[in-house]
Coordinates of all heavy atoms in Angstrom, one line a residue:
M1 N 18.6 -23.3 -6.5 CA 18.1 -24.1 -5.4 C 16.7 -23.7 -5.0 O 16.4 -22.5 -4.9 CB 19.1 -24.0 -4.2 CG 18.7 -24.9 -3.1 SD 19.9 -25.0 -1.8 CE 19.4 -23.7 -0.8
M2 N 15.9 -24.6 -4.8 CA 14.5 -24.3 -4.4 C 14.3 -24.5 -2.9 O 14.7 -25.4 -2.3 CB 13.6 -25.3 -5.2 CG 12.1 -25.0 -5.0 SD 11.8 -23.5 -6.0 CE 10.8 -24.2 -7.2
I3 N 13.6 -23.5 -2.3 CA 13.3 -23.5 -0.9 C 12.0 -24.2 -0.8 O 11.0 -23.9 -1.5 CB 13.3 -22.1 -0.3 CG1 14.6 -21.5 -0.3 CG2 12.8 -22.2 1.1 CD1 14.7 -20.1 0.2
K4 N 11.9 -25.1 0.2 CA 10.6 -25.8 0.5 C 10.3 -25.4 1.9 O 11.1 -25.5 2.8 CB 10.7 -27.3 0.3 CG 11.0 -27.6 -1.1 CD 10.5 -29.0 -1.5 CE 10.8 -29.2 -2.9 NZ 10.1 -30.2 -3.5
P5 N 9.1 -24.9 2.2 CA 7.9 -24.8 1.4 C 8.1 -23.8 0.3 O 8.8 -22.8 0.5 CB 6.9 -24.5 2.4 CG 7.6 -23.9 3.5 CD 8.9 -24.5 3.5
G6 N 7.3 -23.9 -0.7 CA 7.3 -23.0 -1.9 C 6.6 -21.7 -1.6 O 5.9 -21.5 -0.6
I7 N 6.7 -20.7 -2.5 CA 6.1 -19.4 -2.3 C 4.6 -19.5 -2.3 O 4.0 -18.7 -1.6 CB 6.6 -18.4 -3.5 CG1 6.2 -17.0 -3.2 CG2 6.1 -18.9 -4.8 CD1 6.9 -16.4 -2.1
T8 N 4.0 -20.4 -3.0 CA 2.5 -20.5 -3.0 C 2.0 -20.8 -1.6 O 1.1 -20.2 -1.1 CB 2.1 -21.6 -4.0 OG1 2.6 -21.3 -5.3 CG2 0.6 -21.6 -4.1
E9 N 2.7 -21.8 -1.0 CA 2.3 -22.2 0.3 C 2.6 -21.1 1.4 O 1.8 -20.9 2.3 CB 3.1 -23.5 0.7 CG 2.5 -24.3 1.8 CD 3.3 -25.6 1.9 OE1 4.0 -26.1 1.0 OE2 3.1 -26.2 3.0
L10 N 3.7 -20.4 1.2 CA 4.1 -19.4 2.2 C 3.1 -18.2 2.0 O 2.8 -17.5 3.0 CB 5.5 -18.9 1.9 CG 6.6 -19.9 2.4 CD1 7.9 -19.5 1.8 CD2 6.6 -19.9 3.9
S11 N 2.7 -17.9 0.8 CA 1.8 -16.7 0.5 C 0.5 -16.8 1.2 O -0.2 -15.8 1.5 CB 1.6 -16.5 -0.9 OG 2.8 -16.1 -1.6
K12 N 0.1 -18.1 1.5 CA -1.2 -18.3 2.2 C -1.1 -17.9 3.7 O -2.2 -17.7 4.3 CB -1.6 -19.8 2.1 CG -1.9 -20.2 0.7 CD -2.2 -21.7 0.7 CE -2.4 -22.2 -0.8 NZ -2.5 -23.6 -0.9
C13 N 0.1 -17.7 4.2 CA 0.3 -17.4 5.6 C 0.4 -15.9 5.9 O 0.4 -15.6 7.1 CB 1.5 -18.1 6.1 SG 1.5 -19.9 5.9
V14 N 0.5 -15.1 4.9 CA 0.7 -13.7 5.1 C -0.2 -12.9 4.1 O -0.8 -13.5 3.2 CB 2.2 -13.3 4.9 CG1 3.1 -13.9 5.9 CG2 2.7 -13.7 3.5
D15 N -0.2 -11.6 4.3 CA -1.0 -10.7 3.4 C -0.3 -10.2 2.2 O -0.9 -9.7 1.3 CB -1.7 -9.6 4.2 CG -0.6 -8.7 4.8 OD1 0.6 -9.0 4.8 OD2 -1.0 -7.6 5.3
S16 N 1.0 -10.2 2.2 CA 1.8 -9.7 1.1 C 3.2 -10.4 1.1 O 3.6 -10.9 2.1 CB 1.9 -8.2 1.1 OG 2.8 -7.8 2.2
R17 N 3.8 -10.3 -0.1 CA 5.1 -10.9 -0.2 C 6.1 -10.1 0.6 O 7.1 -10.6 1.1 CB 5.6 -10.9 -1.7 CG 4.9 -12.0 -2.4 CD 5.4 -12.2 -3.8 NE 4.7 -13.2 -4.5 CZ 5.0 -13.7 -5.7 NH1 6.1 -13.2 -6.3 NH2 4.3 -14.6 -6.2
Y18 N 5.9 -8.8 0.7 CA 6.8 -7.9 1.5 C 6.8 -8.4 3.0 O 7.8 -8.5 3.6 CB 6.3 -6.4 1.4 CG 7.1 -5.5 2.3 CD1 8.4 -5.1 1.9 CD2 6.7 -5.2 3.6 CE1 9.1 -4.3 2.7 CE2 7.5 -4.4 4.4 CZ 8.7 -3.9 4.0 OH 9.4 -3.2 4.8
T19 N 5.6 -8.7 3.5 CA 5.5 -9.2 4.9 C 6.2 -10.5 5.0 O 6.9 -10.7 6.0 CB 4.0 -9.3 5.3 OG1 3.3 -8.1 5.1 CG2 3.8 -9.8 6.7
L20 N 6.1 -11.3 4.0 CA 6.7 -12.6 4.0 C 8.2 -12.5 4.1 O 8.9 -13.1 4.9 CB 6.3 -13.5 2.8 CG 7.0 -14.8 2.6 CD1 6.7 -15.7 3.8 CD2 6.6 -15.4 1.3
V21 N 8.8 -11.7 3.2 CA 10.2 -11.5 3.2 C 10.7 -10.9 4.5 O 11.7 -11.3 5.0 CB 10.6 -10.5 2.0 CG1 12.0 -10.1 2.0 CG2 10.3 -11.3 0.7
S22 N 10.0 -9.9 5.0 CA 10.4 -9.3 6.2 C 10.4 -10.3 7.4 O 11.3 -10.3 8.2 CB 9.4 -8.1 6.5 OG 9.8 -7.5 7.7
M23 N 9.3 -11.1 7.5 CA 9.2 -12.1 8.6 C 10.4 -13.1 8.5 O 11.0 -13.4 9.5 CB 7.9 -12.8 8.5 CG 6.7 -12.0 9.0 SD 5.2 -12.9 8.7 CE 5.4 -14.5 9.5
A24 N 10.6 -13.6 7.3 CA 11.6 -14.6 7.1 C 13.0 -14.1 7.4 O 13.8 -14.8 8.0 CB 11.5 -15.2 5.6
A25 N 13.3 -12.9 6.9 CA 14.6 -12.3 7.1 C 14.8 -12.0 8.6 O 15.9 -12.4 9.1 CB 14.7 -11.0 6.4
K26 N 13.8 -11.5 9.3 CA 14.0 -11.3 10.8 C 14.2 -12.6 11.5 O 15.1 -12.7 12.4 CB 12.8 -10.5 11.3 CG 12.8 -9.1 10.9 CD 11.5 -8.4 11.4 CE 11.5 -6.9 11.0 NZ 10.3 -6.3 11.5
R27 N 13.4 -13.6 11.2 CA 13.5 -14.8 11.9 C 14.8 -15.5 11.6 O 15.5 -16.1 12.4 CB 12.3 -15.8 11.6 CG 12.4 -17.1 12.3 CD 12.4 -16.9 13.8 NE 12.5 -18.2 14.4 CZ 13.2 -18.5 15.5 NH1 13.9 -17.5 16.1 NH2 13.3 -19.7 16.0
A28 N 15.3 -15.4 10.3 CA 16.5 -16.1 9.9 C 17.7 -15.4 10.6 O 18.6 -16.1 11.1 CB 16.7 -15.9 8.4
R29 N 17.7 -14.1 10.8 CA 18.7 -13.4 11.6 C 18.7 -13.9 13.1 O 19.8 -14.2 13.6 CB 18.5 -11.9 11.6 CG 19.2 -11.3 10.4 CD 19.1 -9.8 10.5 NE 18.5 -9.3 9.3 CZ 17.3 -8.7 9.3 NH1 16.6 -8.4 10.3 NH2 16.8 -8.3 8.1
M30 N 17.5 -14.1 13.6 CA 17.5 -14.6 15.0 C 18.0 -16.0 15.1 O 18.8 -16.4 16.0 CB 16.0 -14.6 15.5 CG 15.5 -13.2 15.7 SD 13.7 -12.9 15.8 CE 13.1 -14.0 17.0
I31 N 17.7 -16.9 14.1 CA 18.2 -18.2 14.1 C 19.7 -18.2 13.9 O 20.4 -19.0 14.6 CB 17.5 -19.0 12.9 CG1 16.1 -19.2 13.3 CG2 18.2 -20.4 12.7 CD1 15.2 -19.8 12.1
G32 N 20.3 -17.4 13.1 CA 21.7 -17.3 12.9 C 22.4 -16.9 14.2 O 23.5 -17.4 14.6
K33 N 21.8 -16.0 15.0 CA 22.4 -15.6 16.3 C 22.3 -16.7 17.3 O 23.2 -16.9 18.1 CB 21.7 -14.3 16.8 CG 22.0 -13.1 16.0 CD 21.3 -11.9 16.6 CE 21.6 -10.6 15.8 NZ 20.9 -9.5 16.3
E34 N 21.2 -17.5 17.2 CA 21.0 -18.6 18.1 C 22.1 -19.7 17.8 O 22.6 -20.3 18.7 CB 19.6 -19.2 18.0 CG 18.5 -18.4 18.5 CD 17.1 -19.0 18.2 OE1 17.1 -20.1 17.6 OE2 16.1 -18.4 18.5
R35 N 22.4 -19.9 16.6 CA 23.3 -20.9 16.2 C 24.7 -20.5 16.6 O 25.5 -21.4 16.9 CB 23.3 -21.1 14.7 CG 22.2 -21.9 14.2 CD 22.3 -22.2 12.7 NE 21.2 -23.0 12.3 CZ 21.0 -23.4 11.1 NH1 21.8 -23.0 10.1 NH2 20.0 -24.1 10.7
M36 N 25.0 -19.3 16.7 CA 26.4 -18.9 17.2 C 26.6 -19.4 18.6 O 27.7 -19.8 19.0 CB 26.5 -17.4 17.2 CG 26.7 -16.8 15.8 SD 26.9 -15.0 15.9 CE 26.9 -14.6 14.2
S37 N 25.5 -19.4 19.4 CA 25.6 -19.8 20.8 C 25.4 -21.3 20.9 O 25.9 -22.0 21.8 CB 24.7 -19.0 21.7 OG 23.4 -19.3 21.3
D38 N 24.5 -21.9 20.1 CA 24.2 -23.3 20.2 C 24.2 -23.9 18.8 O 23.3 -23.8 18.0 CB 22.8 -23.5 20.8 CG 22.4 -24.9 21.0 OD1 23.3 -25.8 20.9 OD2 21.2 -25.2 21.2
V39 N 25.3 -24.5 18.4 CA 25.6 -25.0 17.0 C 24.6 -26.0 16.6 O 24.2 -26.0 15.4 CB 27.0 -25.6 16.9 CG1 27.3 -26.1 15.6 CG2 28.1 -24.5 17.4
E40 N 24.1 -26.9 17.4 CA 23.2 -27.9 17.0 C 21.7 -27.6 17.2 O 20.9 -28.5 17.1 CB 23.5 -29.2 17.8 CG 24.9 -29.7 17.5 CD 25.2 -31.0 18.3 OE1 24.3 -31.6 18.8 OE2 26.4 -31.3 18.4
A41 N 21.4 -26.3 17.3 CA 20.0 -25.9 17.5 C 19.1 -26.4 16.4 O 18.0 -26.8 16.7 CB 19.9 -24.4 17.7
H42 N 19.4 -26.2 15.2 CA 18.5 -26.5 14.1 C 19.2 -27.4 13.0 O 18.7 -27.5 11.9 CB 18.1 -25.2 13.3 CG 17.3 -24.3 14.2 ND1 16.0 -24.5 14.5 CD2 17.6 -23.2 14.9 CE1 15.5 -23.6 15.3 NE2 16.5 -22.7 15.5
G43 N 20.2 -28.1 13.4 CA 20.8 -29.1 12.5 C 21.5 -28.3 11.4 O 22.1 -27.3 11.6
S44 N 21.5 -28.9 10.2 CA 22.3 -28.4 9.1 C 21.5 -27.5 8.1 O 22.0 -27.0 7.1 CB 23.0 -29.5 8.3 OG 22.0 -30.3 7.7
E45 N 20.2 -27.3 8.4 CA 19.4 -26.5 7.5 C 19.8 -25.1 7.6 O 20.2 -24.6 8.7 CB 17.9 -26.7 7.9 CG 17.3 -28.0 7.5 CD 15.8 -28.0 7.7 OE1 15.3 -27.3 8.6 OE2 15.1 -28.8 7.0
K46 N 19.6 -24.4 6.5 CA 20.0 -22.9 6.5 C 18.9 -22.1 7.2 O 17.7 -22.6 7.3 CB 20.1 -22.4 5.0 CG 21.2 -23.1 4.3 CD 21.4 -22.5 2.9 CE 22.6 -23.2 2.3 NZ 23.0 -22.5 1.1
P47 N 19.3 -21.0 7.8 CA 18.3 -20.2 8.6 C 17.1 -19.8 7.9 O 16.0 -19.8 8.4 CB 19.2 -19.0 9.0 CG 20.6 -19.5 9.0 CD 20.6 -20.5 7.9
V48 N 17.2 -19.5 6.6 CA 16.0 -19.0 5.8 C 15.0 -20.2 5.6 O 13.8 -20.0 5.7 CB 16.4 -18.4 4.5 CG1 15.2 -18.1 3.6 CG2 17.2 -17.2 4.7
T49 N 15.6 -21.4 5.4 CA 14.7 -22.6 5.3 C 14.0 -22.9 6.6 O 12.8 -23.2 6.6 CB 15.6 -23.8 4.9 OG1 16.2 -23.5 3.7 CG2 14.7 -25.0 4.7
V50 N 14.7 -22.8 7.7 CA 14.1 -23.0 9.0 C 13.0 -21.9 9.2 O 11.9 -22.3 9.7 CB 15.1 -23.0 10.1 CG1 14.4 -23.1 11.5 CG2 16.1 -24.1 10.0
A51 N 13.3 -20.7 8.9 CA 12.3 -19.6 9.1 C 11.0 -19.9 8.2 O 9.9 -19.7 8.7 CB 12.9 -18.3 8.7
A52 N 11.2 -20.3 7.0 CA 10.1 -20.6 6.1 C 9.2 -21.7 6.7 O 8.0 -21.6 6.6 CB 10.6 -20.9 4.7
D53 N 9.9 -22.7 7.2 CA 9.2 -23.9 7.8 C 8.3 -23.4 9.0 O 7.2 -23.8 9.2 CB 10.1 -25.0 8.2 CG 10.7 -25.8 7.1 OD1 10.1 -25.8 6.0 OD2 11.8 -26.3 7.3
E54 N 8.9 -22.5 9.8 CA 8.2 -22.0 11.0 C 7.0 -21.1 10.6 O 6.0 -21.1 11.2 CB 9.2 -21.2 11.9 CG 10.2 -22.1 12.5 CD 11.2 -21.3 13.4 OE1 11.2 -20.1 13.4 OE2 12.0 -22.0 14.1
I55 N 7.2 -20.4 9.5 CA 6.0 -19.5 9.0 C 4.9 -20.4 8.6 O 3.7 -20.2 9.0 CB 6.5 -18.6 7.9 CG1 7.4 -17.5 8.4 CG2 5.3 -18.0 7.2 CD1 8.2 -16.7 7.3
V56 N 5.2 -21.5 7.8 CA 4.1 -22.4 7.3 C 3.5 -23.1 8.5 O 2.2 -23.3 8.5 CB 4.7 -23.3 6.3 CG1 3.7 -24.4 6.0 CG2 5.0 -22.6 5.0
C57 N 4.3 -23.5 9.5 CA 3.7 -24.3 10.6 C 3.0 -23.4 11.6 O 2.3 -23.9 12.5 CB 4.8 -25.0 11.3 SG 5.6 -26.3 10.4
G58 N 3.1 -22.1 11.4 CA 2.4 -21.1 12.3 C 3.1 -20.9 13.6 O 2.5 -20.3 14.5
K59 N 4.3 -21.2 13.7 CA 5.1 -21.0 14.9 C 5.4 -19.5 15.1 O 5.6 -19.1 16.2 CB 6.4 -21.8 14.8 CG 6.2 -23.3 15.0 CD 7.5 -24.0 15.0 CE 7.3 -25.5 15.1 NZ 8.6 -26.2 15.1
I60 N 5.5 -18.8 14.0 CA 5.8 -17.3 14.0 C 4.7 -16.6 13.2 O 4.1 -17.2 12.3 CB 7.2 -16.9 13.6 CG1 7.4 -17.3 12.1 CG2 8.2 -17.5 14.4 CD1 8.7 -16.7 11.5
G61 N 4.4 -15.4 13.6 CA 3.4 -14.6 12.9 C 3.8 -13.2 12.9 O 4.9 -12.8 13.3
Y62 N 2.8 -12.3 12.6 CA 3.1 -10.9 12.6 C 1.8 -10.1 13.1 O 0.7 -10.7 13.1 CB 3.4 -10.4 11.2 CG 2.3 -10.5 10.2 CD1 1.5 -9.5 9.9 CD2 2.1 -11.7 9.6 CE1 0.5 -9.6 9.0 CE2 1.1 -11.9 8.7 CZ 0.3 -10.8 8.4 OH -0.8 -11.0 7.5
V63 N 2.1 -8.9 13.6 CA 1.0 -8.1 14.1 C 1.2 -6.7 13.5 O 2.3 -6.2 13.5 CB 1.0 -7.9 15.6 CG1 -0.1 -7.0 16.1 CG2 0.8 -9.3 16.3
R64 N 0.1 -6.2 12.9 CA 0.2 -4.9 12.2 C 0.3 -3.8 13.3 O -0.4 -3.9 14.4 CB -1.0 -4.6 11.3 CG -1.0 -5.5 10.1 CD 0.0 -5.0 9.2 NE 0.0 -5.8 8.0 CZ 1.2 -6.0 7.3 NH1 2.3 -5.5 7.7 NH2 1.2 -6.8 6.3
S65 N 1.0 -2.7 13.1 CA 1.1 -1.6 14.0 C -0.2 -0.8 14.0 O -1.0 -0.9 13.0 CB 2.2 -0.7 13.7 OG 2.0 0.0 12.5
E66 N -0.4 0.0 15.0 CA -1.7 0.8 15.1 C -1.8 1.7 13.9 O -2.9 2.0 13.4 CB -1.7 1.5 16.4 CG -3.0 1.9 16.9 CD -4.1 0.8 16.9 OE1 -3.8 -0.3 17.4 OE2 -5.2 1.1 16.5
A67 N -0.7 2.3 13.5 CA -0.7 3.3 12.4 C -1.3 2.6 11.1 O -2.0 3.2 10.4 CB 0.6 3.9 12.1
I68 N -0.9 1.4 10.9 CA -1.3 0.7 9.7 C -2.8 0.3 9.8 O -3.5 0.4 8.8 CB -0.5 -0.6 9.5 CG1 1.0 -0.2 9.1 CG2 -1.1 -1.5 8.4 CD1 1.9 -1.4 9.0
K69 N -3.2 0.0 11.0 CA -4.7 -0.3 11.2 C -5.5 1.0 10.9 O -6.6 0.9 10.3 CB -4.9 -0.8 12.6 CG -4.4 -2.2 12.9 CD -4.6 -2.6 14.3 CE -4.0 -3.9 14.6 NZ -4.1 -4.3 16.0
R70 N -5.0 2.1 11.4 CA -5.7 3.4 11.2 C -5.8 3.7 9.7 O -6.8 4.2 9.2 CB -5.1 4.5 12.0 CG -5.4 4.5 13.4 CD -5.0 5.8 14.1 NE -3.6 6.2 13.9 CZ -2.6 5.9 14.7 NH1 -2.8 5.2 15.8 NH2 -1.4 6.3 14.3
A71 N -4.7 3.5 9.0 CA -4.6 3.8 7.6 C -5.6 2.9 6.8 O -6.3 3.3 5.9 CB -3.2 3.6 7.0
K72 N -5.6 1.6 7.2 CA -6.6 0.7 6.6 C -8.0 1.1 6.8 O -8.8 1.1 5.9 CB -6.4 -0.7 7.0 CG -7.3 -1.7 6.4 CD -6.8 -3.1 6.3 CE -7.8 -4.1 5.8 NZ -8.8 -3.6 4.9
A73 N -8.3 1.5 8.0 CA -9.7 2.0 8.4 C -10.0 3.2 7.5 O -11.1 3.4 7.0 CB -9.8 2.3 9.9
W74 N -9.1 4.1 7.4 CA -9.3 5.3 6.6 C -9.5 5.0 5.1 O -10.5 5.5 4.5 CB -8.1 6.3 6.7 CG -8.3 7.5 5.9 CD1 -9.0 8.6 6.3 CD2 -7.7 7.9 4.7 NE1 -8.9 9.6 5.4 CE2 -8.1 9.2 4.3 CE3 -6.9 7.2 3.8 CZ2 -7.8 9.8 3.1 CZ3 -6.5 7.8 2.6 CH2 -7.0 9.1 2.3
E75 N -8.8 4.0 4.6 CA -9.0 3.6 3.2 C -10.3 2.9 3.0 O -11.0 3.1 2.0 CB -7.8 2.6 2.8 CG -6.5 3.3 2.6 CD -6.5 4.1 1.3 OE1 -7.2 3.9 0.4 OE2 -5.7 5.1 1.4
D76 N -10.7 2.1 4.0 CA -12.0 1.5 3.9 C -13.2 2.5 4.0 O -14.1 2.4 3.2 CB -12.2 0.5 5.1 CG -11.3 -0.7 5.0 OD1 -10.8 -1.0 3.9 OD2 -11.1 -1.4 6.0
E77 N -13.0 3.5 4.8 CA -14.0 4.6 4.9 C -14.1 5.3 3.6 O -15.2 5.7 3.1 CB -13.7 5.5 6.1 CG -14.7 6.6 6.3 CD -14.2 7.6 7.4 OE1 -13.4 7.2 8.3 OE2 -14.7 8.7 7.4
K78 N -12.9 5.6 3.0 CA -12.9 6.3 1.7 C -13.5 5.5 0.6 O -14.3 6.1 -0.1 CB -11.4 6.6 1.4 CG -11.2 7.5 0.1 CD -9.8 7.9 -0.1 CE -8.9 6.8 -0.5 NZ -7.6 7.2 -0.9
A79 N -13.3 4.2 0.6 CA -13.9 3.4 -0.4 C -15.4 3.3 -0.2 O -16.2 3.4 -1.2 CB -13.3 2.0 -0.3
A80 N -15.9 3.3 1.0 CA -17.3 3.3 1.3 C -18.0 4.6 0.8 O -19.1 4.6 0.3 CB -17.6 3.0 2.8
N81 N -17.3 5.7 1.1 CA -17.8 7.0 0.6 C -17.9 7.1 -0.9 O -18.9 7.6 -1.4 CB -17.0 8.1 1.2 CG -17.1 8.3 2.7 OD1 -18.1 7.9 3.3 ND2 -16.1 8.9 3.3
I82 N -16.9 6.6 -1.6 CA -16.9 6.6 -3.0 C -18.0 5.7 -3.5 O -18.7 6.1 -4.5 CB -15.5 6.2 -3.6 CG1 -14.5 7.2 -3.3 CG2 -15.6 5.9 -5.1 CD1 -13.1 6.8 -3.6
L83 N -18.2 4.6 -2.9 CA -19.3 3.7 -3.3 C -20.6 4.3 -3.1 O -21.5 4.3 -4.0 CB -19.2 2.4 -2.6 CG -20.2 1.3 -2.9 CD1 -20.0 0.9 -4.4 CD2 -20.0 0.1 -2.0
S84 N -20.8 5.0 -2.0 CA -22.1 5.6 -1.7 C -22.4 6.8 -2.7 O -23.5 7.0 -3.1 CB -22.2 6.1 -0.3 OG -21.3 7.2 -0.1
L85 N -21.3 7.5 -3.1 CA -21.5 8.6 -4.1 C -21.9 8.0 -5.4 O -22.8 8.5 -6.1 CB -20.2 9.3 -4.3 CG -19.8 10.3 -3.1 CD1 -18.4 10.9 -3.4 CD2 -20.8 11.4 -3.1
S86 N -21.3 6.9 -5.8 CA -21.6 6.3 -7.1 C -23.1 5.8 -7.1 O -23.8 5.8 -8.1 CB -20.6 5.2 -7.5 OG -20.7 4.2 -6.7
I87 N -23.5 5.2 -6.0 CA -24.9 4.7 -5.9 C -25.9 5.9 -5.9 O -26.9 5.8 -6.6 CB -25.0 3.9 -4.5 CG1 -24.3 2.6 -4.7 CG2 -26.5 3.6 -4.3 CD1 -24.2 1.8 -3.4
S88 N -25.6 7.0 -5.2 CA -26.5 8.1 -5.2 C -26.5 8.7 -6.6 O -27.6 9.2 -7.1 CB -26.1 9.1 -4.2 OG -24.8 9.7 -4.5
E89 N -25.4 8.8 -7.4 CA -25.4 9.3 -8.7 C -26.3 8.4 -9.6 O -27.0 8.9 -10.5 CB -24.0 9.4 -9.3 CG -23.2 10.5 -8.7 CD -21.8 10.5 -9.1 OE1 -21.4 9.6 -9.9 OE2 -21.0 11.4 -8.7
D90 N -26.2 7.1 -9.4 CA -27.1 6.1 -10.2 C -28.5 6.4 -9.9 O -29.4 6.4 -10.8 CB -26.7 4.7 -9.9 CG -25.3 4.3 -10.5 OD1 -24.8 5.0 -11.3 OD2 -24.8 3.3 -10.0
E91 N -28.9 6.6 -8.7 CA -30.3 6.9 -8.3 C -30.8 8.2 -8.9 O -31.9 8.3 -9.4 CB -30.4 6.9 -6.8 CG -30.2 5.5 -6.1 CD -30.2 5.6 -4.6 OE1 -30.2 6.7 -4.1 OE2 -30.1 4.5 -4.0
E92 N -29.9 9.2 -8.9 CA -30.3 10.5 -9.5 C -30.5 10.3 -11.0 O -31.5 10.9 -11.6 CB -29.2 11.5 -9.3 CG -29.2 12.0 -7.8 CD -28.1 13.0 -7.6 OE1 -27.5 13.5 -8.6 OE2 -27.8 13.4 -6.5
G93 N -29.7 9.5 -11.7 CA -29.9 9.2 -13.1 C -31.2 8.5 -13.4 O -31.9 8.9 -14.4
E94 N -31.6 7.6 -12.5 CA -32.8 6.9 -12.7 C -34.0 7.9 -12.5 O -35.0 7.8 -13.2 CB -32.9 5.7 -11.8 CG -32.0 4.6 -12.1 CD -32.0 3.5 -11.0 OE1 -32.8 3.6 -10.1 OE2 -31.2 2.6 -11.1
L95 N -33.9 8.8 -11.5 CA -35.0 9.7 -11.3 C -35.2 10.7 -12.4 O -36.3 11.1 -12.8 CB -34.7 10.5 -10.0 CG -34.8 9.6 -8.7 CD1 -34.5 10.5 -7.5 CD2 -36.2 9.1 -8.5
S96 N -34.1 11.1 -13.0 CA -34.2 12.1 -14.1 C -34.7 11.5 -15.4 O -35.3 12.2 -16.2 CB -32.8 12.8 -14.4 OG -31.9 11.8 -14.8
E97 N -34.6 10.2 -15.5 CA -35.1 9.5 -16.7 C -36.6 9.4 -16.7 O -37.3 9.2 -17.7 CB -34.5 8.1 -16.9 CG -33.0 8.2 -17.2 CD -32.4 6.8 -17.2 OE1 -33.1 5.8 -17.0 OE2 -31.2 6.7 -17.5
E98 N -37.2 9.4 -15.5 CA -38.6 9.2 -15.3 C -39.4 10.4 -15.6 O -39.5 11.3 -16.0 CB -39.0 8.8 -13.8 CG -38.4 7.4 -13.5 CD -38.7 7.1 -12.0 OE1 -39.2 7.9 -11.3 OE2 -38.3 6.0 -11.7

């Protein structure tokens, strides 16, 4: 059985498939709990399908924790340092050739 919206459409809404799976699973659990109290809340659609629709429509989203933001900043800084090292090595090579 195919879930609509498809993975291509859903992937545009998140930064990774892991994030997508996590968001859909958490929201589907919430929908399942809501249905226990209100049977007609979302009709006959399965909770995962409803969650996927909500992700594509932008009704739900995610926020990265502060630790992840710091780790990303550290990775960006590390990449910039490596790039500056390779640029300075290239400049030294050009100077030694002259």
Side-chain angles (χ1 to χ4, degrees):
M1 181 168 94
M2 189 71 112
I3 294 178
K4 295 205 178 197
I7 190 71
T8 307
E9 202 172 338
L10 287 165
S11 294
K12 295 176 185 175
C13 303
V14 293
D15 62 346
S16 70
R17 287 186 181 189
Y18 177 82
T19 302
L20 174 62
V21 169
S22 180
M23 285 173 55
K26 287 178 182 180
R27 181 60 183 138
R29 274 188 235 116
M30 290 163 54
I31 292 168
K33 288 179 182 178
E34 289 172 6
R35 284 190 179 173
M36 287 181 186
S37 61
D38 185 15
V39 178
E40 297 179 17
H42 295 284
S44 62
E45 288 186 333
K46 294 186 177 190
V48 174
T49 303
V50 175
D53 287 336
E54 290 179 355
I55 291 169
V56 169
C57 292
K59 291 182 180 179
I60 61 171
Y62 64 98
V63 176
R64 292 283 178 215
S65 71
E66 199 58 41
I68 293 173
K69 290 177 184 176
R70 283 193 308 266
K72 178 154 178 26
W74 182 78
E75 287 291 331
D76 291 343
E77 182 181 339
K78 186 170 70 170
N81 289 337
I82 291 170
L83 182 62
S84 68
L85 285 174
S86 66
I87 290 173
S88 65
E89 287 174 359
D90 290 343
E91 290 172 354
E92 286 178 11
E94 290 174 6
L95 292 176
S96 64
E97 290 175 2
E98 292 176 358

